[in-house]
Amino acid sequence: MAFDTQYTNQEFKVVGKRVLRPDGIDKVTGRARYGADMNAPGQLVGRILRSPHAHAKIRAIDTSKAEKLKGVKAVVTAADLPDLTRGDMGMYDTLENCMARGRALYDGHAVAAVAAIDADIARKALKLIKVDYEILPHVTDVDEAMKPGAPIVQPRIRTVGVNPAPTKPSNISQVSEFGHGDLDAGFAEADVIVEKSYKTEQTHQGYIEPHACLASVGPDGQAELWVTTQGPYMQRNTCAALLGLEVAKLRVTASEIGGGFGGKTHVWMEPVALALSRKANRPVKLVLTREEVFRGTGPTCSTSMDIKIGARRDGTITAAQAVLRYQDGAFPNIWGMLGAMTAWACYDLKNVKATAYDVLVNRPKVAAYRAPSAPMAAFGVESTMDLVAAEIGMDPVELRIKNAAKEGTRASYGPTYGPIGIGPTLEAAKNHPHMKAPLGANQGRGMACGFWFNFGGQTCVDLNIGQDGTVNLAVGTVDVGGARASLSMIAAEELGIPYEKVKCIVADTASLGHNDTTEGSRGTFSSGMATVFAARDAVRVLRERAAKTWDIPVDRVEWRDGKAHAFGDEHGNLAPLSLEELAAKAARTGGPIAGHNEIVADGAGVSFATHICDIEVDPETGKSRILRYTVIQDAGKAIHPDYVEGQFQGAAAQGIGWALNEEYIYGADGRLQNPGFLDYRIAVCSDLPMLDTQILEIPNPNHPYGIRGVGETSIVPPLAAIANAMSNAAGVRMTHTPMSPPRVLKAIREAHGA
Amino acid sequence: MRYESPKTTKEAAGLLAKAKGNAFVLAGGTDLLVRLKSEVIDPDLIVDIKRIPAMQGVTKTAAGFRIGAATSCAELGENAALKKAWPGVVEAATIIGSDQVQGRCTVVGNLCNASPAADSVPAMVAAGAKAVIVGPKGRRTVGVEKVVAGPGKTTLKKGEVIEAILLGKGGAKTGDAYLRFIPRTEMDIAVVSAGICLTLGPRGIIKEAKVALGAVGPTVEIVSAATKVLVGSTLDEATLEQLAVVCSAACRPIDDKRGTIEFRTEVAGVLARRAAKIAYQRAGGK
Ligand SMILES: Cc1cc2nc3c(=O)[nH]c(=O)nc-3n(C[C@H](O)[C@H](O)[C@H](O)COP(=O)(O)OP(=O)(O)OC[C@H]3O[C@@H](n4cnc5c(N)ncnc54)[C@H](O)[C@@H]3O)c2cc1C
C-alpha cells in the first residue's frame, strides 16, 4: 500500500503535549531489564581475555590448562569462529575485531574467551590461558600514522580515492573530497585569509550501561540472544553471518538500553558469547567491565585538521577549505569522509573544499558517536569562523547569518537544501536574551553552529487492536531517547484515541520485519512515519468493519475522534461506532483488527543548531566553569517536547564534557592509561548549569508530521562554542581538545606571561 | 578469602599478625573494594573494623578530639564541634568522592591507602593530627605524616592497625583550610592540593604555621620554607607572593594522566596562597 509522505500541516490533539513517559516507573524503581538483567537456567559466566599489547603477532595460544580447570565449560579462540565471510572485507574486519586472528591490533583486542560455572572460575581460567606474543611496533597518533615509515596497521590496505591507485600498503585507508567552485579564485578575492590547525583527542560515548548479553545456542542450530543494543536486526544479521546460523533461527531481543549514543550500533562481544554457548551447549552471559568497554569497544576518532577561510571585509566568505585527518582505529571506515561532508554544511559557499583522510592506528575500532565525525570538523570550522569575524571586525553571529545556507543552497557535500533551520537558529540566537546578559571579570561568551544529516531507512511497524479497544504498537527501532512515548502519541493521534490507550513495545527480531538500527536520529522519524501509515491502515480496516456492521458502502464511513461516522443523506442518522465497540465485535466482523506498514523511510530532514555559551576561566589555574548555556535547534516537529529538550541537553552535555576534559590517554607503550570513569572525565551533574533549550519547528517536507531527527545535532557546536567563549574570557585561542586546565593554563602563560 | 569482623582492636591486630598470605583491613572499603573488584588485589583475609566499638565516632578528650578509625567522613561533617575547631580537616574529609562515598569512607582509610593525592592527609598533617596505632607490641602514637612511606605504602608493620586519629583543641586563634585542584566539581582525585594551619599572636601576626602540599611528591610535602615565610607576617600581599614561590619550589611532582609537572608546580603555589587567606580569616585575622 502506497502512502503519501508529504507534510500536511495537520492539526494535532496529542502530538506536542508533554505526556507521562511509559518507561519512567520501571526505570526509577529498578524493574526495567537491561542487558545484564536476563538470566537462563544453567547459564555460564563468559569472560574475555584481551591483548595487553598495542600491536603484536600471536604466535600461539595455549588454552589447555584453562580447559582442564574444574568448572570451565568452554574456551574459544579465533579457531572457534572460522572465517565464513567469503571475501566480504567489512564482515571480516568485524569478525577479527570480535576475536583476534593471529595478530592483536590494539590494547584491549580480544584474544580468547572462557565460559565457566561462576565468575571466580572464569577469572582463574583467563589467567591459565597462555598467549605467545611477538610484539610489533605500534602507532596510536593520527599524524604519526600518516608519516612514511610508520608501522603499518593493516598490510592489506591500499589507499582508496587517489590516482593512480597505490601499490604499497598505507595507514591511509581512504581519501575523500567534497566541494565545488574554484578555491584559488576564491582565496584571491579575499580581503583576509585565516588559516589554523586543530587537534581533538579521542572520546568515548560513555554510556552508563556496559555491553551485556545472554546468548543461547542449541545443538539444533536454534539460537537466542538477549542484548543491549541499538540494532537487534544488525545483531541478528551479523551474528548469523559470523556463526553460520540461519537468520530466522537466531532470535534477538533488545533489552532496555542504558545509553548507546552510537556505541551500540555494532557487534562487539556478542558473537563470542554465541560461540561460547555453542561450544558449551549452555546459555552464556557475558557482561563487559567498564575497563573492557573503554579498551575493547568503539570510541569516536581523534583528529587533526587544517582549516582555511578567505573573506571579504563585508563578511562574504569567498573560499573555504578543510583538510581533515581522522583515525578510525585498527579497521578502515568512513569517519573522515563524514567529517568532510559535514564540515561546511552550515554555509552557502561559492568556493569550498573538504578533503578527508581516513587513517588506521593501533587503537580500538572506532564506532559511531552521536552525529559521528561532525563535532570535530565543526570545532575547526566554527573556531576559524570566529577568528575571521575578529579579523574583519564583524559580530560572529552576523558573519554566520551573512553566509548561512538556506533553501536552494547547494550544500558543500552535494545536495541542494529544502527548507532548513540554520538561518532561523542564528536569528533566534541573535535575539535571545542570553546574548545580552551581562558578563563579569574572567567571563566570556561564545557561540557556534552545527549540522547533522539524519537518516531514514528500512522500517516496519505492527499495530494491533485489543478486544477492549486498547492498542499495541510493535516497533523494531530500539527506544534510545523516548521513542516509545512519541510513537504511542502518533498512533493515538491517528486513531483519535487518548495516548494512555496505546502501549508501544520494541519487538524481537522474530516478531517483526527488518528494521535498520536506531542511529542517525532515525527512530522517531522513520518509525513515526511507519506508525502513521500503520494506524491509517488500521483505520481503513475499522471503517470497513463499521460499514459491514451498518451494511453501507465503506466510502460512506469516515473516521473522526476515535469513532466511525456514517455520513451522507441516507446514513447520517446512524449513531457513530467507537473503536471500543468495533474492537469488541471484531470476532463477528472479520477477526482481529490490525494495521501494518513496511517502508524505506526516505527524506530524513537535515538538522541545524546554534549554541550560546558563557564561561568563566580562572586565570591562575586554567579551570573553567560553564555559567550559562543555550541550545537552539530545529526539531522539524517536536512530538514530545520534554524528550526533544532532553536530547538537546544530553547532546550538549556530552559535547561540553568532550570539550573540557574527556580524552583517551595512551602511554608510549600504546596502552590506554585511563580506562575508567575516574580518569576518563565525563561531565558530572554539578559541572553543568541548567542547559536552556529553544525548540524551533521548521517542518520536514518529507514527513507527514514534519519530523526531523533531533538526537544528534546538538553535540556538534559545543566544542567550538566553548573554545570561542574561552577566547573571549581568557584571551587564548584553544586549538586542541580537551581544553583541560593544564592546556588552558599553559596557553594563558604563553599568551600573557606568568 | 576469609572475612572476619572482630569486636576489639586487639583481636583485629591479632588476626592480622597471625594471617598468612594477603591480609587487609577493611574500613569503608571505598578503596579496598574497588581494588578487589578490579582484581588488583587478591586477599586471603579481610578484617572488617566497623564492628569495633573503640573505633566508632568522634569524642572530645582533654587534649582535643579523638576520631575512631571506623568513623565515616560524613559523620565528621555532622560533628559541629569538630567542624568549628578544624574546619579545614572536615572540609578535606567531606570533599572525598560524593555523598555516597562519604557515607562509607574514613580518614584513616584515606591515610592508609597512601595515595599521594589523598585529600584528608595534607589537612591532617597541617593540623598536626596523630595516629594511634595498635599492634602485637602494644600501642604507639605517631604524627600522621609518619604513617605514609610512599605511593601505596605505609610504615605500619605486620599486625598493626590504626585505632584512632587525635587532633588538638584548635581555638579562636587557630584556623586551618584545605583546597584541592580538580578539573571537575566532584568525583575526582586531587591533581594538586594544599592544607594550611595558622595560629595568630597579637595584632594578627602569625605565630605558628604549617603548610602541607598533596600530589606534588610521593608523600605529603611539608613546606618548612613556607612556615618561615608566614611566621611573623600579617599575610600581606608580599608574603602571599613569597608563599606561592616557596610552595612551588618545594614541589617534586610527576607528569601523569592527571596533570603535568608544570601545572602542578604552578597551581600548588596558587592553592597555598588561597588556602592561607582562608586559614588566616578563620584564625581571626583581618
Ligand atoms: C568514587 C570514588 C571517589 C573517590 N574520591 C576521592 C577523593 O575525592 N579524594 C580522596 O582522597 N579519595 C577519594 N576516593 C578514595 C577513597 O574513597 C578514600 O581514600 C577513602 O578515604 C578511603 O577510606 P575507606 O574507609 O573507604 O578505606 P578502605 O578502602 O576501607 O581502606 C583503604 C586502605 O586503608 C587500609 N586501612 C583502612 N583502615 C585501616 C586501619 N584502621 N588501619 C590500617 N589500615 C587501614 C585498608 O586495608 C586499605 O588498604 C574515592 C573513591 C571512590 C570509589
Side-chain angles (χ1 to χ4, degrees), chain A residues 47 123 618 620-621 623 661 665 673-674 677-679 681-682 684 686-687 741-742 745-746 749, chain B residues 39 42 181-189 191 257-260 262-263 266-267 270-271 273-274:
Chain A
R47 275 200 69 163
R123 182 170 61 93
D618 182 338
E620 291 184 323
T621 64
K623 181 163 169 165
N661 284 306
I665 303 171
Q673 297 194 340
N674 57 338
F677 278 134
L678 190 54
D679 287 305
R681 297 185 167 97
I682 63 172
V684 297
S686 52
D687 290 342
L745 188 61
K746 190 159 188 259
R749 287 292 158 266
Chain B
E39 298 171 9
D42 201 351
F181 184 87
I182 55 171
R184 295 184 294 189
T185 45
E186 59 180 330
M187 295 300 282
D188 236 321
I189 300 296
V191 178
K257 59 194 171 191
R258 295 188 185 141
T260 58
E262 196 185 357
F263 182 79
E266 180 166 352
V267 175
V270 173
L271 294 184
R273 191 152 34 84
R274 293 179 181 179

Side-chain angles (χ1 to χ4, degrees), chain A residues 32 44 264 348 450 458 682 708 711:
Chain A
L44 303 172
K264 291 177 183 163
D348 185 357
Q458 296 190 75
I682 63 172
R708 298 174 193 265

Side-chain angles (χ1 to χ4, degrees), chain B residues 24-35 49 55 69 95-97 101 104-110 112-113 117-120 156 160-162 180 187-189:
Chain B
F24 292 92
V25 174
L26 172 71
T30 60
D31 279 315
L32 195 74
L33 297 185
V34 174
R35 288 199 290 152
I49 57 168
M55 294 203 189
I95 52 172
I96 293 179
V101 173
R104 302 296 295 179
C105 73
T106 62
V107 290
V108 174
N110 198 223
C112 295
N113 186 55
D119 276 312
S120 70
L156 297 180
E160 283 191 326
V161 54
I162 295 180
R180 68 169 177 184
M187 295 300 282
D188 236 321
I189 300 296

Side-chain angles (χ1 to χ4, degrees), chain A residues 557-578:
Chain A
V557 180
E558 64 176 2
W559 190 260
R560 207 168 3 100
D561 299 329
K563 295 188 182 76
H565 298 263
F567 65 93
D569 295 343
E570 293 166 67
H571 314 300
N573 58 348
L574 287 166
L577 281 168
S578 69

